[in-house]
Amino acid sequence: MDREDNRLQMFKRVDEFIRTVINPVLPNAKLAESYINCFSDDNSPTYFDGKLSSRELFKDTEYEYKGDGKFIHYTSLFGLKAILDSGFLRMSEFGNLIDTSELNYGASVFKENEIFQYKQTNIDQLRENIFCLSACQSSKSTKINDLMWEVYGDKGKGIIIEFELTKKNPDFFILGNIQYGEDAKKPLEKIKALYEQYLNDVKTALPSNFIELLVELQSFHKAKRYEGESEIRLLFKKDKFFPSET
């Protein structure tokens, strides 16, 4: 087998991993990019780094948003001034959100098995590279939600911004429904079980960055106590550039 055929076989192994482990939960998931960092021309596994495409990632799942694209966003008067001054609704870095368990809550599913390489330092770094805009579906009930006014509307002294997205499946962003509580973690638990079974039965390609590969999915899970928010989230992941010290 020549080098080109070998590379083709390696990428077929990667595709097989996505079909076997990821697609049963996210049927439209596909890789936006992948890099094979450990080649193998025998029966030992190929290792790769991958990134899922954001386009239609949640289509045909419980995470998929199917509303009319009209939302409301609670903020304080100070927040409103910042928005008017900049002309933009700004996304918040995960590390600055009120819920300090963001991302950790979903990622904790993979904590007990070392094969997933769960490391708190990696989770903390990922939190610095994920940004979101939190909103609710625009309706009468969400506009008079006492919890939201108290927590996000400056104890009733803030305001509501109503806006509309003209494109419900924007490229480079993920729009979806937050899932609340332990029972809602079943999709993550299924992927975990599929991966463990894959290791026993196939083991032809393994991701070196499994937690990061699924970071978008994990980012749409929150504890049950936040269920009253009924949050719809617009998510964006962008690796920050940290200049090296000289």
Side-chain angles (χ1 to χ4, degrees):
M1 182 182 296
D2 62 30
R3 182 174 179 81
E4 191 61 32
D5 287 339
N6 189 36
R7 288 177 61 85
L8 181 59
Q9 287 299 115
M10 298 304 102
F11 283 108
K12 284 183 177 180
R13 289 184 177 189
V14 174
D15 288 341
E16 180 182 26
F17 174 85
I18 299 299
R19 290 196 306 271
T20 304
V21 177
I22 308 298
N23 286 152
V25 174
L26 299 172
N28 291 281
K30 54 184 177 296
L31 287 171
E33 58 187 61
S34 62
Y35 169 74
I36 295 176
N37 53 39
C38 179
F39 288 86
S40 173
D41 55 7
D42 53 23
N43 292 325
S44 58
T46 295
Y47 289 89
F48 70 96
D49 289 340
K51 178 181 179 181
L52 292 177
S53 170
S54 60
R55 189 170 186 179
E56 296 189 335
L57 181 62
F58 289 160
K59 184 176 174 58
D60 301 324
T61 72
E62 295 177 359
Y63 303 88
E64 182 183 6
Y65 169 73
K66 297 180 179 180
D68 59 7
K70 296 179 180 179
F71 306 97
I72 59 171
H73 175 73
Y74 286 84
T75 189
S76 64
L77 293 178
F78 178 81
L80 174 63
K81 183 179 184 304
I83 292 168
L84 293 175
D85 287 345
S86 67
F88 298 99
L89 277 170
R90 293 182 178 272
M91 304 185 94
S92 299
E93 179 188 301
F94 263 44
N96 296 326
L97 297 177
I98 292 176
D99 179 5
T100 57
S101 69
E102 289 278 9
L103 189 57
N104 285 287
Y105 187 76
S108 64
V109 169
F110 307 106
K111 190 174 183 177
E112 64 184 46
N113 192 330
E114 63 182 13
I115 66 171
F116 299 110
Q117 302 179 49
Y118 177 102
K119 295 179 181 178
Q120 189 58 52
T121 53
N122 293 345
I123 299 297
D124 292 340
Q125 186 175 13
L126 284 172
R127 280 162 53 87
E128 296 178 2
N129 292 277
I130 309 171
F131 304 86
C132 71
L133 176 64
S134 299
C136 302
Q137 186 72 38
S138 180
S139 67
K140 182 178 179 180
S141 61
T142 57
K143 291 177 181 178
I144 59 173
N145 186 315
D146 290 339
L147 170 67
M148 299 298 288
W149 277 113
E150 176 69 19
V151 179
Y152 301 104
D154 194 18
K155 299 184 183 298
K157 295 179 290 185
I159 59 97
I160 284 175
I161 297 174
E162 190 164 12
F163 65 97
E164 182 176 359
L165 290 180
T166 56
K167 190 173 182 181
K168 296 179 185 178
N169 294 299
D171 295 336
F172 309 115
F173 294 86
I174 298 176
L175 182 66
N177 302 309
I178 293 293
Q179 307 297 305
Y180 297 95
E182 293 297 319
D183 288 345
K185 289 183 180 181
K186 289 179 180 178
L188 292 171
E189 292 168 351
K190 183 174 181 179
I191 286 181
K192 175 178 179 290
L194 288 169
Y195 191 167
E196 292 168 336
Q197 188 64 47
Y198 176 86
L199 285 175
N200 291 330
D201 295 346
V202 188
K203 197 178 180 179
T204 61
L206 300 174
S208 304
N209 64 334
F210 183 78
I211 296 294
E212 184 175 359
L213 179 67
L214 287 179
V215 69
E216 290 88 353
L217 186 62
Q218 297 163 92
S219 300
F220 278 80
H221 283 269
K222 296 183 70 172
K224 189 76 170 179
R225 64 179 178 274
Y226 296 103
E227 189 172 24
E229 298 174 351
S230 300
E231 181 183 346
I232 300 166
R233 176 168 286 181
L234 186 67
L235 188 84
F236 177 67
K237 182 178 181 294
K238 175 66 175 178
D239 293 336
K240 294 180 181 178
F241 173 71
F242 296 98
S244 58
E245 295 183 1
T246 57

